[in-house]
Amino acid sequence: MALCHCRLGPVWHWQDLWQVFKWKEGREEMSSTVAQVIRCKAAVAWEAGKPLVIEEVEVAPPQKMEVRMKILFTSLCHTDVWFWEAKGQNPLFPRILGHEAGGIVESVGEGVMELAPGDHVLPVFTGECKECAHCKSEESNMCDLLRINTDRGVMIHDGKSRFSINGKPIYHFVGTSTFSEYTVVHVGCVVKINPLAPLDKVCVLSCGISTGFGATVNVAKPTKGSTVAVFGLGAVGLAAAEGARVSGASRIIGVDLHPNKFQLAKQFGVTEFVNPKDYTKPIQEVIVEMTQGGVDRSIECTGHTDCMISAFECVHDGWGVAVIVGVPSKDAVFKTHPINFLNERTLKGTFFGNYKPRSDIPAVVEKYMNKELELEKFITHQVPFSEINKAFDYMLKGEGIRCIIRMED
């Protein structure tokens, strides 16, 4: 918040005052719907690969340890498209997709103490119960209770959906279902943030950007002047490159099959680009030659096993660290020679950038507020909720990085 100290005391900028006014107004508006079924618009996926349909749905009140929130902005992640297409997983329809979003708490269920109507929040696809061994560990964010479950389409409390149309249940998606004007989420998956943070920007921190950025700064941990290779220059890979840039890496090598991504990647600190299709030998050998022995750190963001092998085998022996971020198909395997480990290379995996959602993401939002982290350059398109299928078109065509969907047209 910008404050100017003078004889009259602190003076708030008009933007800050407007944000606070809207925040208070939101609290008053929410009070009229508490404990009531809310009828609102939602984009329903009725079957695999077919355009979403804007429907009127009923959203039940939150039950024990649940939060009902009004979604103001949501964005499309490749994971939404993957499950919409029903590739490589158990199809579950009809379903309300969406998991990158920002909104305001409308009401809370029994047992919810740390949130209140009007709070600005980000729903997150993975949670933090704060009670299990993982949540109590400083080394893990893999909550036993609230770890992502893509097959579960109902709430944990009672095994029922909070969405319905004419009495017919509509399934949830990864516990968030943000392609709805209102949604119900377990309190452990709700992150309370600074009410002055613009939700149309920080909503992207609830999945892909935090995943890539955290994979670099929390797991790979490149030092100033180090060399980093990033495999895959989608949203997560660009966020990983941004993490390397912020960390002070001197060389950031982007690896991708699409050369047109290099110009965009430069905005995120990528200094060099290599395309595996341009070489007859494995790309890890190319990178080792380019860097006189290998990069200090590598981050793999594609989910393809050949890239995982390349990412591991291109790091320098003695100190090189490779971090796997991309999610492989369920039957995928890869192999590498054990000597790579004996030569003191390290292979790590990460989930959501090793961030504990409720504990850590508010501080990432503050990094943006303090201009230590740029988010605007990730946002390349915006559409009203009524045109949500355009966001799918942009992603399927490989156009842009993130498309923000405005729930209020």
Side-chain angles (χ1 to χ4, degrees):
M1 183 182 301
L3 295 176
C4 175
H5 293 279
C6 59
R7 291 182 181 178
L8 297 177
V11 178
W12 289 38
H13 284 197
W14 70 266
Q15 294 98 330
D16 297 332
L17 291 169
W18 177 249
Q19 287 276 15
V20 172
F21 169 75
K22 295 297 290 182
W23 178 56
K24 291 182 177 179
E25 183 182 52
R27 283 183 180 270
E28 295 170 358
E29 177 187 340
M30 301 303 174
S31 63
S32 64
T33 54
V34 172
Q36 304 295 316
V37 171
I38 292 178
R39 288 177 171 80
C40 67
K41 294 179 181 179
V44 179
W46 288 100
E47 55 184 303
K50 295 298 178 67
L52 305 188
V53 180
I54 304 294
E55 305 275 14
E56 183 179 80
V57 300
E58 295 91 38
V59 185
Q63 301 302 304
K64 184 177 181 180
M65 302 306 290
E66 294 175 0
V67 176
R68 186 164 62 182
M69 67 181 71
K70 181 177 183 179
I71 299 296
L72 297 181
F73 299 95
T74 185
S75 62
L76 181 66
C77 172
H78 190 268
T79 301
D80 297 308
V81 176
W82 179 258
F83 281 87
W84 168 69
E85 293 177 321
K87 290 183 176 179
Q89 81 283 143
N90 298 321
L92 187 62
F93 297 99
R95 201 171 202 179
I96 297 174
L97 300 167
H99 63 285
E100 279 190 357
I104 300 175
V105 173
E106 175 271 336
S107 60
V108 301
E110 176 189 348
V112 177
M113 306 299 292
E114 62 270 47
L115 293 170
D119 286 344
H120 285 214
V121 292
L122 304 180
V124 179
F125 65 91
T126 187
E128 182 185 355
C129 73
K130 297 193 176 184
E131 297 178 358
C132 70
H134 284 278
C135 286
K136 291 180 178 179
S137 167
E138 294 183 358
E139 300 181 24
S140 174
N141 66 343
M142 305 287 286
C143 177
D144 282 329
L145 178 66
L146 299 170
R147 191 180 307 184
I148 185 173
N149 184 335
T150 58
D151 291 331
R152 185 174 61 234
V154 293
M155 299 301 292
I156 292 175
H157 172 61
D158 57 6
K160 296 180 180 179
S161 174
R162 303 289 175 260
F163 298 109
S164 62
I165 296 179
N166 298 324
K168 180 181 178 180
I170 306 297
Y171 293 113
H172 294 249
F173 176 65
V174 296
T176 53
S177 292
T178 62
F179 293 167
S180 175
E181 291 177 321
Y182 287 84
T183 189
V184 178
V185 181
H186 191 284
V187 65
C189 297
V190 181
V191 178
K192 182 179 178 180
I193 63 168
N194 184 340
L196 297 180
L199 290 172
D200 61 331
K201 305 297 189 301
V202 298
C203 64
V204 299
L205 290 174
S206 54
C207 181
I209 309 310
S210 294
T211 296
F213 189 80
T216 301
V217 300
N218 294 336
V219 187
K221 299 179 180 178
T223 57
K224 187 174 182 179
S226 60
T227 56
V228 178
V230 177
F231 288 75
L233 297 178
V236 175
L238 292 174
E242 179 76 355
R245 183 188 70 81
V246 169
S247 299
S250 61
R251 295 178 70 181
I252 304 174
I253 302 169
V255 184
D256 203 286
L257 297 175
H258 304 284
N260 61 324
K261 291 186 177 182
F262 183 37
Q263 282 301 120
L264 179 63
K266 289 180 180 179
Q267 298 179 36
F268 301 85
V270 174
T271 57
E272 300 159 70
F273 178 83
V274 291
N275 186 340
K277 292 191 294 187
D278 294 339
Y279 301 91
T280 57
K281 55 186 174 183
I283 199 64
Q284 54 265 45
E285 295 181 14
V286 175
I287 294 173
V288 168
E289 291 177 4
M290 288 173 61
T291 55
Q292 289 78 53
V295 292
D296 302 306
R297 302 289 187 266
S298 70
I299 302 98
E300 188 283 322
C301 305
T302 72
H304 297 295
T305 54
D306 54 348
C307 286
M308 295 178 185
I309 297 168
S310 297
F312 179 48
E313 295 183 354
C314 79
V315 298
H316 206 291
D317 58 5
W319 61 79
V321 177
V323 178
I324 304 300
V325 182
V327 180
S329 61
K330 61 181 180 179
D331 298 321
V333 295
F334 76 88
K335 63 180 181 179
T336 186
H337 200 285
I339 197 67
N340 289 317
F341 293 97
L342 297 177
N343 284 338
E344 300 183 3
R345 293 180 176 90
T346 300
L347 179 64
K348 291 185 174 183
T350 181
F351 177 70
F352 192 52
N354 272 44
Y355 287 118
K356 292 180 185 288
R358 297 160 77 189
S359 298
D360 298 335
I361 295 303
V364 183
V365 171
E366 292 307 310
K367 281 183 177 292
Y368 167 75
M369 297 295 284
N370 295 330
K371 302 187 185 303
E372 299 170 31
L373 173 63
E374 299 176 21
L375 295 179
E376 284 84 356
K377 60 189 178 183
F378 289 97
I379 300 167
T380 52
H381 297 85
Q382 291 194 30
V383 297
F385 187 40
S386 59
E387 298 178 9
I388 189 171
N389 288 300
K390 280 188 177 180
F392 281 75
D393 292 338
Y394 291 139
M395 184 158 287
L396 290 170
K397 293 176 182 176
E399 298 178 3
I401 306 172
R402 277 292 184 266
C403 178
I404 301 298
I405 300 156
R406 305 185 306 273
M407 302 306 288
E408 296 181 348
D409 289 356

